[in-house]
């Protein structure tokens, strides 16, 4: 039996078993995907146990996404640039290959919703400067977006994000201005998520035909997206990013490149 899973601490909230379990059943694969609760102080030992247990690999979630990097024998360009690993493949010899699929998930979700999105002509505003923002910025850079703006509550975090191009930084109290003439506006913060404060953002300056992308998926239509919808903008929800980022891992461990379907989307949203 092919085995994979997800490590984190805590881990019970993870949606990954639902996603991979659905695909294993759909494609009739003799495999399993389990959660592994590993405390930070036990990370190395916990991973050695997974290797000994014959796992093909695993997803990585909080709080291990950075610490796991030092235990990897090799890293993909994405993982290195983003500074975090969310997908690990265990090689034949028991080595760890660390990868980050969040940028892929971000782009695939956008292209699935807006297939003719033409990156290289876009002024893009990124709200937030945490881990998710790093993955988004990597994708924007890869797709040659000509102008990138970042606005974040803590300006220093935006300054330290350290990507190799000039992104213009807007102070948090000037964040509304960062949307002026923007073609794509992305919320990478947890604001607007159930239980979190709302994201207060005035979208009135964005271009006609702009696209607003919220990586939050609970609720699926955040207030930011409601506002965007009212203004006639294209709207991209966060659920597809979660689903698409899971695909490369599944292919690596189980040998089938899985599809993101409406059915799977609905299963996830009902949970
Ligand atoms: P993730 O890895 O999911 O991106 P993170 O690294 O903790 O999570 O980043 C969270 C982002 O949400 C940050 O940009 C954070 O802003 P700060 O850098 O100022 O902390 C932003 N954020 C979280 N709560 C916020 C709030 N109440 N108001 C404004 N921004 C907030």
């Amino acid at each position: 039996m092919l085995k994979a899973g997800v490590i984190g601490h805590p881990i019970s909230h993870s949606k990954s078993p639902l996603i991979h379990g659905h695909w294993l059943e759909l494609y009739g694969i003799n495999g399993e995907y389990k959660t592994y609760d590993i405390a930070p102080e036990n990370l190395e030992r916990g991973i050695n146990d997974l290797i000994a247990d014959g796992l093909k690999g695993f997803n990585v979630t909080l709080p291990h996404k950075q610490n796991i990097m030092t235990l990897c024998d090799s890293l993909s360009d994405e993982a290195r640039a983003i500074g975090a690993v969310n997908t690990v493949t265990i090689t034949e010899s028991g080595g760890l290959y660390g990868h980050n699929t969040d940028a892929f998930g971000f782009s695939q979700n956008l292209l699935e919703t807006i297939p003719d999105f033409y990156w290289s002509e876009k002024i893009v505003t990124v709200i937030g400067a945490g881990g998710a923002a790093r993955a988004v910025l990597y994708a924007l850079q890869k797709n040659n977006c000509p102008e990138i703006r970042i606005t974040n509550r803590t300006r220093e975090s935006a300054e330290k994000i350290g990507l190799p191009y000039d992104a213009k930084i807007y102070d948090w109290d000037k964040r509304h201005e960062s949307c002026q003439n923007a073609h794509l506006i992305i919320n990478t913060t947890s604001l607007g998520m159930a239980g979190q404060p709302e994201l207060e953002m005035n979208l009135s300056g964005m271009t006609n035909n702009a696209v607003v992308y919220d990586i939050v998926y609970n609720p699926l239509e955040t207030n930011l997206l409601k506002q965007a919808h009212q203004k006639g903008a294209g709207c991209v929800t966060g659920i597809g990013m979660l689903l698409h980022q899971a695909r490369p891992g599944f292919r690596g461990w189980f040998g089938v490149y899985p599809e993101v379907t409406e059915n799977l989307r609905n299963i996830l949203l009902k949970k």
Side-chain angles (χ1 to χ4, degrees):
M1 172 180 331
L2 300 169
K3 293 195 260 187
V6 54
I7 67 165
H9 185 71
I11 194 62
S12 54
H13 64 282
S14 173
K15 304 257 188 213
S16 295
L18 200 60
I19 301 171
H20 291 276
H22 172 84
W23 283 332
L24 285 171
E25 203 182 313
L26 181 68
Y27 297 109
I29 295 168
N30 180 23
E32 66 171 30
Y33 184 98
K34 295 203 304 197
T35 57
Y36 296 90
D37 193 327
I38 300 177
E41 60 273 22
N42 295 333
L43 183 59
E44 188 162 5
R45 187 153 46 92
I47 285 169
N48 285 337
D49 288 347
L50 301 187
I51 297 170
D53 203 20
L55 263 72
K56 292 285 175 195
F58 50 91
N59 285 121
V60 185
T61 187
L62 299 177
H64 303 310
K65 283 179 149 195
Q66 269 108 40
N67 289 344
I68 188 83
M69 294 178 80
T70 56
L71 301 175
C72 288
D73 299 278
S74 59
L75 293 169
S76 70
D77 290 345
E78 286 91 334
R80 212 184 300 275
I82 296 166
V85 161
N86 73 345
T87 304
V88 171
T89 300
I90 301 173
T91 63
E92 293 284 311
S93 56
L96 303 183
Y97 170 68
H99 185 32
N100 189 310
T101 64
D102 284 335
F104 169 82
F106 166 80
S107 320
Q108 289 295 303
N109 185 36
L110 175 55
L111 291 176
E112 189 180 71
T113 317
I114 320 245
D116 59 353
F117 190 79
Y118 199 58
W119 302 85
S120 62
E121 289 181 353
K122 304 300 188 195
I123 297 173
V124 187
T125 302
V126 177
I127 306 161
R134 297 185 73 86
V136 166
L137 287 163
Y138 179 87
L140 297 175
Q141 187 199 5
K142 264 274 167 220
N143 287 290
N144 301 315
C145 289
E147 184 176 333
I148 295 168
R149 304 164 175 177
I150 307 178
T151 184
N152 192 49
R153 176 179 58 177
T154 312
R155 188 184 170 97
E156 298 81 66
S157 309
E159 282 165 355
K160 276 199 234 128
I161 209 155
L163 284 152
Y165 51 73
D166 291 332
K168 180 154 193 262
I169 299 171
Y170 288 72
D171 284 332
W172 192 237
D173 58 1
K174 302 257 167 58
R175 64 189 178 281
H176 309 297
E177 288 169 27
S178 72
C179 295
Q180 210 61 39
N181 309 323
H183 301 104
L184 172 63
I185 296 163
I186 308 149
N187 174 37
T188 74
T189 74
S190 49
L191 294 174
M193 192 187 284
Q196 299 289 324
E198 285 300 340
L199 170 59
E200 306 290 343
M201 188 61 121
N202 184 344
L203 297 175
S204 54
M206 67 186 178
T207 52
N208 294 334
N209 311 321
V211 174
V212 178
Y213 188 149
D214 201 329
I215 72 163
V216 168
Y217 58 84
N218 178 26
L220 192 60
E221 193 181 41
T222 58
N223 278 355
L224 181 75
L225 290 184
K226 281 196 185 115
Q227 196 195 145
H229 195 73
Q230 279 162 8
K231 292 191 168 16
C235 291
V236 184
T237 69
I239 191 80
M241 180 168 168
L242 174 72
L243 290 166
H244 280 284
Q245 64 77 32
R247 295 172 64 211
F250 190 91
R251 176 173 58 183
W253 310 319
F254 301 116
V256 174
Y257 203 24
E259 291 293 328
V260 169
T261 59
E262 210 44 46
N263 187 22
L264 176 54
R265 244 173 241 273
N266 290 334
I267 290 170
L268 225 70
L269 290 172
K270 276 191 203 118
K271 288 281 166 183

